[in-house]
């Protein structure tokens, strides 16, 4: 958590990005330069960082960083409650875990997933105080929640949403830090979801 907070308070421009990444203590991406890595990856770049995978949110031209995302829980729910046989992809779930510290609980339900998110929310609250916003503004049955702290021109978010790396097969709980001008209100609902996915970043 402290590493992500440090990222939120560090420069992300191309000239400083590699030094900022070096200060996290995480291993550099293949090739050694995160600034170069985001130019050659045509999707959502993911950089292995020890026991975690770090998603790098870039602008639409893949030329600058707009945020970072560190997932800490994944949740799978069958699409059809009347045919609850596991999706074959669920049986391959272990291959998607970033490290051996992750634990798989095939009996966990959405309440358990929410509880893991609440643990993350509580941990950040202990470090930064109460969030500026807790968002429950969803018009579906996902039950997603977001806790948002404003850190100058960045937002730090304990988020729930789609796991992009598995094309939304899973829901993900993550700790994210996103560029967001200090003179703009914190978005809610699907606008916030879009910000997390990079779809409405400048």
């Amino acid at each position: 958590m402290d590493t992500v907070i440090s990222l939120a308070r560090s420069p992300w421009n191309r000239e400083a990005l590699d030094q900022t990444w070096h200060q996290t203590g995480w291993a550099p991406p293949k090739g050694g330069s995160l600034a170069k890595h985001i130019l050659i990856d045509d999707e959502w770049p993911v950089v292995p960082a020890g026991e975690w995978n770090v998603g790098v949110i870039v602008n639409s031209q893949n030329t600058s960083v707009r945020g970072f995302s560190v997932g800490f829980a994944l949740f799978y729910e069958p699409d059809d409650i009347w045919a609850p046989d596991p999706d074959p992809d669920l049986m391959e779930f272990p291959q998607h875990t970033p490290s051996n510290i992750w634990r798989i609980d095939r009996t966990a339900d959405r309440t358990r997933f929410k509880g893991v998110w609440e643990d993350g929310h509580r941990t950040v609250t202990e470090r930064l105080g109460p969030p500026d916003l807790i968002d429950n503004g969803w018009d579906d049955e996902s039950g997603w929640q977001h806790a948002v702290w404003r850190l100058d021109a960045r937002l730090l978010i304990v988020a729930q949403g789609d796991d992009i790396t598995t094309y939304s097969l899973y829901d993900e709980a993550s700790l994210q830090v996103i560029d967001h001008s200090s003179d703009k209100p914190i978005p809610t609902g699907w606008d916030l979801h879009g910000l997390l996915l990079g779809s409405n970043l400048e």
Side-chain angles (χ1 to χ4, degrees):
M1 180 189 66
D2 285 341
T3 301
V4 177
I5 293 173
S6 177
L7 278 175
R9 292 171 169 159
S10 301
W12 299 348
N13 57 297
R14 293 189 60 78
E15 293 76 17
L17 184 58
D18 288 335
Q19 179 60 30
T20 291
W21 186 264
H22 175 73
Q23 290 171 351
T24 67
W26 290 332
K30 181 182 281 189
S33 170
L34 181 60
K36 292 181 180 177
H37 183 72
I38 65 172
L39 288 175
I40 62 175
D41 197 319
D42 60 358
E43 293 187 5
W44 182 295
V46 176
V47 182
E51 296 174 335
W52 307 98
N53 285 335
V54 180
V56 184
I57 305 167
V58 297
N59 67 2
S60 58
Q61 294 80 35
N62 261 35
T63 56
S64 63
V65 170
R66 291 291 178 262
F68 294 92
S69 173
V70 181
F72 59 86
L74 295 172
F75 174 68
Y76 173 86
E77 190 169 49
D79 292 332
D80 186 348
I81 63 173
W82 302 112
D85 292 334
D87 186 298
D89 286 331
L90 177 63
M91 303 312 294
E92 299 176 5
F93 179 81
Q95 76 183 41
H96 300 299
T97 59
S99 78
N100 291 332
I101 70 169
W102 284 63
R103 295 292 178 260
I104 298 168
D105 181 357
R106 296 186 187 279
T107 67
D109 57 12
R110 189 166 288 280
T111 299
R112 172 67 179 130
F113 179 61
K114 180 179 179 181
V116 174
W117 176 89
E118 289 173 343
D119 289 343
H121 171 207
R122 184 164 45 251
T123 299
V124 179
T125 297
E126 290 171 355
R127 178 71 169 76
L128 296 178
D132 294 284
L133 173 75
I134 294 182
D135 181 48
N136 299 304
W138 307 97
D139 58 1
D140 60 13
E141 297 178 358
S142 69
W144 289 341
Q145 291 181 291
H146 295 75
V148 186
W149 289 259
R150 188 187 289 279
L151 301 176
D152 298 322
R154 305 264 168 77
L155 301 179
L156 189 142
I157 306 164
V158 180
Q160 288 180 310
D162 299 292
D163 174 40
I164 302 304
T165 61
T166 59
Y167 299 96
S168 302
L169 177 63
Y170 305 105
D171 284 1
E172 179 188 57
S174 61
L175 181 61
Q176 304 204 24
V177 56
I178 307 287
D179 257 340
H180 191 70
S181 176
S182 58
D183 62 358
K184 292 181 179 179
I186 299 172
T188 59
W190 290 105
D191 290 334
L192 178 56
H193 184 60
L195 184 70
L196 296 174
L197 296 182
S199 60
N200 55 354
L201 293 170
E202 295 177 354

